Amino acid sequence: MPPPRTRGTALRQRLAELRGPDVPAKSLDARALAALAANPGCKRRAILDGAGVNKAALAGALGSPSAFGQSQFALTRGNAFEAKVKADGGAELLRLVRERLDPGAEPPTTKSTPDLAASGPEGRTARTALALREATEQALGTWTFLDHPMLALDVAGSPAFLEPDAVVVHPDGSWTVVEIKSFPMLDGSADPAKVGAAARQAAVYVLALEEVAARLDPAPKVRHRILLVCPKDFSNLPTASAVDIRKQRAVTSRQLARLTRIQDIADALPEGTCFSPELPAERLTAAVEAVPAAYAPECLAACELAFHCRDRSRAAGAVTTLGRSVRAELGGLTTVEDVLSAARGESGDPDDPAVAALRRAAHLRTEALAAMGTTGVTGAAEATGAMGTLGEMGTLGEMGTLGAKCR
């Protein structure tokens, strides 16, 4: 007699059905989690990531191949730099951790590098937790370097297995996340956008590490200043900087908590829904469209399905195509047609601040064109020009290209 199905096993089976028969699950890494946390309203990404769907393969099957991801050259260069940083049992990495984060500690002359090998992600997660506990209990005067530990984090009711570059246990028993990146640090500073992305990624690791620490008594301190290691200037020599990720950690924790549970999204899907790239394009498109998306231009730098979602958003005339800030300014006006109609005075509540601003902008532009002797401006051109003047009122400055982008 087969064992009874629990809620957890039922969910895993359901996610396997959504992924497709014999399709291996794609692991959900910290980069994807950080992007998911930045857009918690997107149920489409939540269910696809939760089910382990390969979104790059899915985008190709839908006819909107993704340009998202690192080049092979960047991956090779990054792997070579990481190997250099971790050489000799992480001696250089530990030196940088002490120098930047713990200068009062003893130099890392005595260090431990536990073996984290185990079978499967669950086994590696358990082995990492054991190694962290042992290192913390024996920490007095000893540095411990954990190379590619495996951590687990509950995301919308489904476990995500995460693999930071390294975790260091200090002689006082505290824990530090180490991020190793291949972009350069010039004169002690790096590209702010890339540092921000690394900080958001590290925040996910810190959250997962805090869950491990909470199971120990007493719970060790998980430091909120992580070590970012990069090449120095234009060389291949490592340098490092301490990055405070408290803000990123708080935002990521709050956004992940807002995610709709994977089980709830899966239960709302039609029977037989499947995201296997082997399916016919029509059936695959219907499956993807069955899950609501929350497209924004930021998705282009974070999601493999961004081109597909952008095309659908434009076809529907959704104002979200121009960004969340524009959408927020427009209130109840959710489509391009609604915005243009309100600007022309054909619809909308005059007491609505967004409608009033649109009409005032249209009126100002009409007066300006009349003064210049310009005639014959109608339709989308008139309304979109009106949108451009809204910048002086502190609202919808980006809307000058609304008609061109969405019609």
Side-chain angles (χ1 to χ4, degrees), residues 68-321:
F68 172 72
Q70 288 183 299
S71 68
Q72 190 59 45
F73 172 75
L75 290 172
T76 302
R77 182 183 60 187
N79 290 337
F81 178 69
E82 181 176 334
K84 181 181 180 67
V85 172
K86 294 179 176 179
D88 191 21
E92 178 64 11
L93 186 147
L94 291 176
R95 184 190 69 79
L96 291 170
V97 171
R98 177 182 178 273
E99 178 183 294
R100 301 295 184 182
L101 296 173
D102 202 354
E106 289 293 322
T109 53
T110 304
K111 62 180 185 295
S112 172
T113 54
D115 182 9
L116 303 179
S119 177
E122 292 87 356
R124 290 187 59 200
T125 300
R127 181 68 190 91
T128 296
L130 178 61
L132 284 167
R133 187 184 71 187
E134 292 175 344
T136 304
E137 291 173 349
Q138 304 166 5
L140 190 59
T142 302
W143 292 83
T144 301
F145 163 57
L146 280 71
D147 186 9
H148 283 292
M150 182 69 74
L151 306 171
L153 184 65
D154 183 85
V155 180
S158 181
F161 295 100
L162 312 170
E163 190 176 8
D165 292 328
V167 170
V168 171
V169 179
H170 295 243
D172 63 0
S174 59
W175 302 350
T176 287
V177 169
V178 177
E179 271 292 280
I180 302 173
K181 298 297 184 183
S182 59
F183 56 81
M185 198 172 288
L186 306 175
D187 294 329
S189 62
D191 183 341
K194 293 180 178 179
V195 173
R200 289 188 294 274
Q201 187 175 338
V204 176
Y205 296 137
V206 167
L207 287 171
L209 209 55
E210 287 176 345
E211 291 194 359
V212 179
R215 294 193 290 269
L216 301 182
D217 187 22
K221 175 186 176 183
V222 180
R223 294 177 177 239
H224 291 161
R225 294 177 73 212
I226 64 106
L227 188 76
L228 177 62
V229 183
C230 299
K232 182 178 181 181
D233 299 326
F234 298 102
S235 70
N236 200 37
L237 299 174
T239 187
S241 176
V243 180
D244 191 326
I245 54 92
R246 282 177 295 183
K247 178 181 178 181
Q248 289 84 354
R249 180 209 164 280
V251 171
T252 301
S253 177
R254 184 170 62 251
Q255 298 291 62
L256 289 177
R258 288 178 53 201
L259 285 173
T260 305
R261 294 184 65 83
I262 301 295
Q263 180 78 60
D264 297 337
I265 303 174
D267 289 345
L269 294 177
E271 191 67 30
T273 298
C274 181
F275 302 110
S276 171
E278 303 300 323
L279 293 175
E282 297 79 8
R283 184 180 169 189
L284 193 58
T285 300
V288 171
E289 294 305 311
V291 192
Y295 172 77
E298 294 85 350
C299 296
L300 293 171
C303 183
E304 296 88 340
L305 276 181
F307 290 156
H308 172 82
C309 295
R310 182 181 65 177
D311 291 344
R312 294 288 168 165
S313 183
R314 285 180 173 178
V319 294
T320 51
T321 306

